Amino acid sequence: AVGVFGGKFEKSMNTVQAVSGVTAQEFKSLEIQARDLGETTQFSAGQAADAMAILSKLGQDANQILGSTPRVLELAAAAGMDLEQSAEIVSSTMAGFRFEVEELANVNDVLVKTFISSKTNLQNLGQALKFAGPAAKAAGLSFESTVATLGFLANAGFEAEMAGTGLRGSIMKLLNPSKEAKEILDKYRITIEDTEGKLLSMSQIMAQFAIAQRKVANETEFAQAAFKIFAQRAGPAFLSVLAQGSEELAK
């Protein structure tokens, strides 16, 4: 063991050591970083150590903790949230999209951009990603496209689990359309896959629905068609994003 310490800072650092099994050299690096963050950020060294302890409990090793901790502090500061919630959201998001630690900076940027540009917050966005993230990743949708769509859903009043299940339902209906849904897509000449059979981005799909919508004189008919494709739960979510504009979603 690398010593037994007293106090909150030392207690958190000892938790990191016990849970992650870091070596003496790795422990020293983590301790130095925590103290440095306490001097250079709005958080104390003890809070930085707390973040490290949370990340270690979530399965990160020493190198991952070193890469993640500064970003977690940045995200918590931007969101005005406590470190534990921020760390959990970061960890679950990274795991859901199978990101490497090196990609955490971009993940942070996307999350921050979304919650400051739409009517959501980090907590609700993290909750939505728990439901929609795995399906989006499996469908080949980018993280940016997924999070942007969740932001648009929040603008329409779909928050947290409701937003996540709405997007997940839309994705699943597009991946596995019913016979009736296929007939409707063909009728409106809507293509949902590229030449390799990969699902197009949500903004590309929305753009085609927007074209079809403009060609239909009866709005009720179009809404009914959308509900037949996406069903009662995902239908309202999809239409609410479409109403905000495919070009805006692409931006």
mmCIF file with all atom_site columns, all heavy atoms in Angstrom, residues 39-57:
data_model
loop_
_atom_site.group_PDB
_atom_site.id
_atom_site.type_symbol
_atom_site.label_atom_id
_atom_site.label_alt_id
_atom_site.label_comp_id
_atom_site.label_asym_id
_atom_site.label_entity_id
_atom_site.label_seq_id
_atom_site.pdbx_PDB_ins_code
_atom_site.Cartn_x
_atom_site.Cartn_y
_atom_site.Cartn_z
_atom_site.occupancy
_atom_site.B_iso_or_equiv
_atom_site.pdbx_formal_charge
_atom_site.auth_seq_id
_atom_site.auth_comp_id
_atom_site.auth_asym_id
_atom_site.auth_atom_id
_atom_site.pdbx_PDB_model_num
ATOM 1   N N   . GLU A 1 39 ? -5.486  23.759 -7.460  1.00 0.00 ? 39 GLU A N   1
ATOM 2   C CA  . GLU A 1 39 ? -4.889  25.088 -7.537  1.00 0.00 ? 39 GLU A CA  1
ATOM 3   C C   . GLU A 1 39 ? -5.284  25.846 -8.805  1.00 0.00 ? 39 GLU A C   1
ATOM 4   O O   . GLU A 1 39 ? -5.210  27.072 -8.837  1.00 0.00 ? 39 GLU A O   1
ATOM 5   C CB  . GLU A 1 39 ? -3.357  24.969 -7.495  1.00 0.00 ? 39 GLU A CB  1
ATOM 6   C CG  . GLU A 1 39 ? -2.822  24.437 -6.170  1.00 0.00 ? 39 GLU A CG  1
ATOM 7   C CD  . GLU A 1 39 ? -1.300  24.292 -6.186  1.00 0.00 ? 39 GLU A CD  1
ATOM 8   O OE1 . GLU A 1 39 ? -0.710  24.554 -7.255  1.00 0.00 ? 39 GLU A OE1 1
ATOM 9   O OE2 . GLU A 1 39 ? -0.731  23.917 -5.156  1.00 0.00 ? 39 GLU A OE2 1
ATOM 10  N N   . THR A 1 40 ? -5.688  25.118 -9.832  1.00 0.00 ? 40 THR A N   1
ATOM 11  C CA  . THR A 1 40 ? -5.926  25.751 -11.137 1.00 0.00 ? 40 THR A CA  1
ATOM 12  C C   . THR A 1 40 ? -7.384  25.773 -11.573 1.00 0.00 ? 40 THR A C   1
ATOM 13  O O   . THR A 1 40 ? -7.703  26.316 -12.636 1.00 0.00 ? 40 THR A O   1
ATOM 14  C CB  . THR A 1 40 ? -5.097  25.047 -12.228 1.00 0.00 ? 40 THR A CB  1
ATOM 15  O OG1 . THR A 1 40 ? -5.460  23.648 -12.261 1.00 0.00 ? 40 THR A OG1 1
ATOM 16  C CG2 . THR A 1 40 ? -3.603  25.159 -11.945 1.00 0.00 ? 40 THR A CG2 1
ATOM 17  N N   . THR A 1 41 ? -8.279  25.169 -10.813 1.00 0.00 ? 41 THR A N   1
ATOM 18  C CA  . THR A 1 41 ? -9.706  25.176 -11.163 1.00 0.00 ? 41 THR A CA  1
ATOM 19  C C   . THR A 1 41 ? -10.512 25.721 -9.987  1.00 0.00 ? 41 THR A C   1
ATOM 20  O O   . THR A 1 41 ? -9.967  26.015 -8.924  1.00 0.00 ? 41 THR A O   1
ATOM 21  C CB  . THR A 1 41 ? -10.217 23.758 -11.500 1.00 0.00 ? 41 THR A CB  1
ATOM 22  O OG1 . THR A 1 41 ? -10.289 22.977 -10.297 1.00 0.00 ? 41 THR A OG1 1
ATOM 23  C CG2 . THR A 1 41 ? -9.300  23.063 -12.498 1.00 0.00 ? 41 THR A CG2 1
ATOM 24  N N   . GLN A 1 42 ? -11.823 25.826 -10.183 1.00 0.00 ? 42 GLN A N   1
ATOM 25  C CA  . GLN A 1 42 ? -12.692 26.309 -9.114  1.00 0.00 ? 42 GLN A CA  1
ATOM 26  C C   . GLN A 1 42 ? -12.943 25.244 -8.058  1.00 0.00 ? 42 GLN A C   1
ATOM 27  O O   . GLN A 1 42 ? -13.542 25.525 -7.011  1.00 0.00 ? 42 GLN A O   1
ATOM 28  C CB  . GLN A 1 42 ? -14.034 26.765 -9.698  1.00 0.00 ? 42 GLN A CB  1
ATOM 29  C CG  . GLN A 1 42 ? -14.903 25.621 -10.231 1.00 0.00 ? 42 GLN A CG  1
ATOM 30  C CD  . GLN A 1 42 ? -16.161 26.118 -10.907 1.00 0.00 ? 42 GLN A CD  1
ATOM 31  O OE1 . GLN A 1 42 ? -16.107 26.831 -11.899 1.00 0.00 ? 42 GLN A OE1 1
ATOM 32  N NE2 . GLN A 1 42 ? -17.318 25.780 -10.356 1.00 0.00 ? 42 GLN A NE2 1
ATOM 33  N N   . PHE A 1 43 ? -12.472 24.023 -8.332  1.00 0.00 ? 43 PHE A N   1
ATOM 34  C CA  . PHE A 1 43 ? -12.670 22.928 -7.407  1.00 0.00 ? 43 PHE A CA  1
ATOM 35  C C   . PHE A 1 43 ? -11.446 22.748 -6.514  1.00 0.00 ? 43 PHE A C   1
ATOM 36  O O   . PHE A 1 43 ? -10.325 23.101 -6.890  1.00 0.00 ? 43 PHE A O   1
ATOM 37  C CB  . PHE A 1 43 ? -12.947 21.628 -8.171  1.00 0.00 ? 43 PHE A CB  1
ATOM 38  C CG  . PHE A 1 43 ? -14.194 21.681 -9.011  1.00 0.00 ? 43 PHE A CG  1
ATOM 39  C CD1 . PHE A 1 43 ? -14.130 21.938 -10.371 1.00 0.00 ? 43 PHE A CD1 1
ATOM 40  C CD2 . PHE A 1 43 ? -15.442 21.494 -8.439  1.00 0.00 ? 43 PHE A CD2 1
ATOM 41  C CE1 . PHE A 1 43 ? -15.269 22.003 -11.153 1.00 0.00 ? 43 PHE A CE1 1
ATOM 42  C CE2 . PHE A 1 43 ? -16.602 21.558 -9.205  1.00 0.00 ? 43 PHE A CE2 1
ATOM 43  C CZ  . PHE A 1 43 ? -16.516 21.814 -10.560 1.00 0.00 ? 43 PHE A CZ  1
ATOM 44  N N   . SER A 1 44 ? -11.663 22.175 -5.342  1.00 0.00 ? 44 SER A N   1
ATOM 45  C CA  . SER A 1 44 ? -10.563 21.912 -4.423  1.00 0.00 ? 44 SER A CA  1
ATOM 46  C C   . SER A 1 44 ? -9.865  20.609 -4.798  1.00 0.00 ? 44 SER A C   1
ATOM 47  O O   . SER A 1 44 ? -10.390 19.809 -5.589  1.00 0.00 ? 44 SER A O   1
ATOM 48  C CB  . SER A 1 44 ? -11.093 21.795 -2.996  1.00 0.00 ? 44 SER A CB  1
ATOM 49  O OG  . SER A 1 44 ? -11.905 20.629 -2.865  1.00 0.00 ? 44 SER A OG  1
ATOM 50  N N   . ALA A 1 45 ? -8.682  20.408 -4.232  1.00 0.00 ? 45 ALA A N   1
ATOM 51  C CA  . ALA A 1 45 ? -7.964  19.157 -4.457  1.00 0.00 ? 45 ALA A CA  1
ATOM 52  C C   . ALA A 1 45 ? -8.800  17.975 -3.959  1.00 0.00 ? 45 ALA A C   1
ATOM 53  O O   . ALA A 1 45 ? -8.805  16.904 -4.561  1.00 0.00 ? 45 ALA A O   1
ATOM 54  C CB  . ALA A 1 45 ? -6.614  19.190 -3.751  1.00 0.00 ? 45 ALA A CB  1
ATOM 55  N N   . GLY A 1 46 ? -9.524  18.189 -2.866  1.00 0.00 ? 46 GLY A N   1
ATOM 56  C CA  . GLY A 1 46 ? -10.388 17.135 -2.337  1.00 0.00 ? 46 GLY A CA  1
ATOM 57  C C   . GLY A 1 46 ? -11.501 16.765 -3.291  1.00 0.00 ? 46 GLY A C   1
ATOM 58  O O   . GLY A 1 46 ? -11.836 15.590 -3.456  1.00 0.00 ? 46 GLY A O   1
ATOM 59  N N   . GLN A 1 47 ? -12.084 17.766 -3.948  1.00 0.00 ? 47 GLN A N   1
ATOM 60  C CA  . GLN A 1 47 ? -13.140 17.493 -4.922  1.00 0.00 ? 47 GLN A CA  1
ATOM 61  C C   . GLN A 1 47 ? -12.577 16.785 -6.154  1.00 0.00 ? 47 GLN A C   1
ATOM 62  O O   . GLN A 1 47 ? -13.225 15.895 -6.714  1.00 0.00 ? 47 GLN A O   1
ATOM 63  C CB  . GLN A 1 47 ? -13.825 18.800 -5.327  1.00 0.00 ? 47 GLN A CB  1
ATOM 64  C CG  . GLN A 1 47 ? -14.698 19.392 -4.229  1.00 0.00 ? 47 GLN A CG  1
ATOM 65  C CD  . GLN A 1 47 ? -15.256 20.735 -4.607  1.00 0.00 ? 47 GLN A CD  1
ATOM 66  O OE1 . GLN A 1 47 ? -14.521 21.634 -5.046  1.00 0.00 ? 47 GLN A OE1 1
ATOM 67  N NE2 . GLN A 1 47 ? -16.572 20.904 -4.458  1.00 0.00 ? 47 GLN A NE2 1
ATOM 68  N N   . ALA A 1 48 ? -11.381 17.180 -6.572  1.00 0.00 ? 48 ALA A N   1
ATOM 69  C CA  . ALA A 1 48 ? -10.732 16.483 -7.689  1.00 0.00 ? 48 ALA A CA  1
ATOM 70  C C   . ALA A 1 48 ? -10.486 15.028 -7.330  1.00 0.00 ? 48 ALA A C   1
ATOM 71  O O   . ALA A 1 48 ? -10.677 14.116 -8.145  1.00 0.00 ? 48 ALA A O   1
ATOM 72  C CB  . ALA A 1 48 ? -9.422  17.169 -8.051  1.00 0.00 ? 48 ALA A CB  1
ATOM 73  N N   . ALA A 1 49 ? -10.047 14.796 -6.087  1.00 0.00 ? 49 ALA A N   1
ATOM 74  C CA  . ALA A 1 49 ? -9.826  13.423 -5.609  1.00 0.00 ? 49 ALA A CA  1
ATOM 75  C C   . ALA A 1 49 ? -11.142 12.649 -5.575  1.00 0.00 ? 49 ALA A C   1
ATOM 76  O O   . ALA A 1 49 ? -11.178 11.452 -5.885  1.00 0.00 ? 49 ALA A O   1
ATOM 77  C CB  . ALA A 1 49 ? -9.178  13.454 -4.231  1.00 0.00 ? 49 ALA A CB  1
ATOM 78  N N   . ASP A 1 50 ? -12.230 13.347 -5.184  1.00 0.00 ? 50 ASP A N   1
ATOM 79  C CA  . ASP A 1 50 ? -13.550 12.706 -5.191  1.00 0.00 ? 50 ASP A CA  1
ATOM 80  C C   . ASP A 1 50 ? -13.917 12.239 -6.601  1.00 0.00 ? 50 ASP A C   1
ATOM 81  O O   . ASP A 1 50 ? -14.450 11.144 -6.785  1.00 0.00 ? 50 ASP A O   1
ATOM 82  C CB  . ASP A 1 50 ? -14.623 13.680 -4.690  1.00 0.00 ? 50 ASP A CB  1
ATOM 83  C CG  . ASP A 1 50 ? -14.541 13.923 -3.189  1.00 0.00 ? 50 ASP A CG  1
ATOM 84  O OD1 . ASP A 1 50 ? -13.894 13.116 -2.498  1.00 0.00 ? 50 ASP A OD1 1
ATOM 85  O OD2 . ASP A 1 50 ? -15.124 14.918 -2.733  1.00 0.00 ? 50 ASP A OD2 1
ATOM 86  N N   . ALA A 1 51 ? -13.655 13.111 -7.588  1.00 0.00 ? 51 ALA A N   1
ATOM 87  C CA  . ALA A 1 51 ? -13.952 12.758 -8.980  1.00 0.00 ? 51 ALA A CA  1
ATOM 88  C C   . ALA A 1 51 ? -13.140 11.536 -9.396  1.00 0.00 ? 51 ALA A C   1
ATOM 89  O O   . ALA A 1 51 ? -13.654 10.636 -10.074 1.00 0.00 ? 51 ALA A O   1
ATOM 90  C CB  . ALA A 1 51 ? -13.651 13.933 -9.892  1.00 0.00 ? 51 ALA A CB  1
ATOM 91  N N   . MET A 1 52 ? -11.888 11.499 -9.007  1.00 0.00 ? 52 MET A N   1
ATOM 92  C CA  . MET A 1 52 ? -11.041 10.348 -9.325  1.00 0.00 ? 52 MET A CA  1
ATOM 93  C C   . MET A 1 52 ? -11.589 9.070  -8.695  1.00 0.00 ? 52 MET A C   1
ATOM 94  O O   . MET A 1 52 ? -11.590 8.006  -9.320  1.00 0.00 ? 52 MET A O   1
ATOM 95  C CB  . MET A 1 52 ? -9.620  10.598 -8.828  1.00 0.00 ? 52 MET A CB  1
ATOM 96  C CG  . MET A 1 52 ? -8.854  11.630 -9.609  1.00 0.00 ? 52 MET A CG  1
ATOM 97  S SD  . MET A 1 52 ? -7.186  11.874 -8.958  1.00 0.00 ? 52 MET A SD  1
ATOM 98  C CE  . MET A 1 52 ? -6.492  12.966 -10.212 1.00 0.00 ? 52 MET A CE  1
ATOM 99  N N   . ALA A 1 53 ? -12.061 9.192  -7.455  1.00 0.00 ? 53 ALA A N   1
ATOM 100 C CA  . ALA A 1 53 ? -12.616 8.023  -6.765  1.00 0.00 ? 53 ALA A CA  1
ATOM 101 C C   . ALA A 1 53 ? -13.855 7.505  -7.489  1.00 0.00 ? 53 ALA A C   1
ATOM 102 O O   . ALA A 1 53 ? -14.044 6.293  -7.644  1.00 0.00 ? 53 ALA A O   1
ATOM 103 C CB  . ALA A 1 53 ? -12.956 8.388  -5.323  1.00 0.00 ? 53 ALA A CB  1
ATOM 104 N N   . ILE A 1 54 ? -14.701 8.442  -7.949  1.00 0.00 ? 54 ILE A N   1
ATOM 105 C CA  . ILE A 1 54 ? -15.906 8.049  -8.683  1.00 0.00 ? 54 ILE A CA  1
ATOM 106 C C   . ILE A 1 54 ? -15.539 7.346  -9.980  1.00 0.00 ? 54 ILE A C   1
ATOM 107 O O   . ILE A 1 54 ? -16.097 6.290  -10.323 1.00 0.00 ? 54 ILE A O   1
ATOM 108 C CB  . ILE A 1 54 ? -16.767 9.290  -8.977  1.00 0.00 ? 54 ILE A CB  1
ATOM 109 C CG1 . ILE A 1 54 ? -17.307 9.888  -7.673  1.00 0.00 ? 54 ILE A CG1 1
ATOM 110 C CG2 . ILE A 1 54 ? -17.925 8.934  -9.908  1.00 0.00 ? 54 ILE A CG2 1
ATOM 111 C CD1 . ILE A 1 54 ? -17.828 11.296 -7.821  1.00 0.00 ? 54 ILE A CD1 1
ATOM 112 N N   . LEU A 1 55 ? -14.572 7.897  -10.703 1.00 0.00 ? 55 LEU A N   1
ATOM 113 C CA  . LEU A 1 55 ? -14.151 7.303  -11.973 1.00 0.00 ? 55 LEU A CA  1
ATOM 114 C C   . LEU A 1 55 ? -13.541 5.928  -11.768 1.00 0.00 ? 55 LEU A C   1
ATOM 115 O O   . LEU A 1 55 ? -13.737 5.018  -12.583 1.00 0.00 ? 55 LEU A O   1
ATOM 116 C CB  . LEU A 1 55 ? -13.161 8.234  -12.673 1.00 0.00 ? 55 LEU A CB  1
ATOM 117 C CG  . LEU A 1 55 ? -13.746 9.550  -13.183 1.00 0.00 ? 55 LEU A CG  1
ATOM 118 C CD1 . LEU A 1 55 ? -12.632 10.510 -13.601 1.00 0.00 ? 55 LEU A CD1 1
ATOM 119 C CD2 . LEU A 1 55 ? -14.699 9.318  -14.348 1.00 0.00 ? 55 LEU A CD2 1
ATOM 120 N N   . SER A 1 56 ? -12.803 5.765  -10.660 1.00 0.00 ? 56 SER A N   1
ATOM 121 C CA  . SER A 1 56 ? -12.210 4.451  -10.377 1.00 0.00 ? 56 SER A CA  1
ATOM 122 C C   . SER A 1 56 ? -13.305 3.425  -10.094 1.00 0.00 ? 56 SER A C   1
ATOM 123 O O   . SER A 1 56 ? -13.216 2.268  -10.529 1.00 0.00 ? 56 SER A O   1
ATOM 124 C CB  . SER A 1 56 ? -11.234 4.536  -9.203  1.00 0.00 ? 56 SER A CB  1
ATOM 125 O OG  . SER A 1 56 ? -11.901 4.819  -7.986  1.00 0.00 ? 56 SER A OG  1
ATOM 126 N N   . LYS A 1 57 ? -14.352 3.846  -9.390  1.00 0.00 ? 57 LYS A N   1
ATOM 127 C CA  . LYS A 1 57 ? -15.466 2.942  -9.093  1.00 0.00 ? 57 LYS A CA  1
ATOM 128 C C   . LYS A 1 57 ? -16.243 2.575  -10.359 1.00 0.00 ? 57 LYS A C   1
ATOM 129 O O   . LYS A 1 57 ? -16.904 1.532  -10.409 1.00 0.00 ? 57 LYS A O   1
ATOM 130 C CB  . LYS A 1 57 ? -16.407 3.586  -8.076  1.00 0.00 ? 57 LYS A CB  1
ATOM 131 C CG  . LYS A 1 57 ? -15.820 3.708  -6.675  1.00 0.00 ? 57 LYS A CG  1
ATOM 132 C CD  . LYS A 1 57 ? -16.778 4.421  -5.732  1.00 0.00 ? 57 LYS A CD  1
ATOM 133 C CE  . LYS A 1 57 ? -16.186 4.579  -4.339  1.00 0.00 ? 57 LYS A CE  1
ATOM 134 N NZ  . LYS A 1 57 ? -17.105 5.312  -3.422  1.00 0.00 ? 57 LYS A NZ  1
#
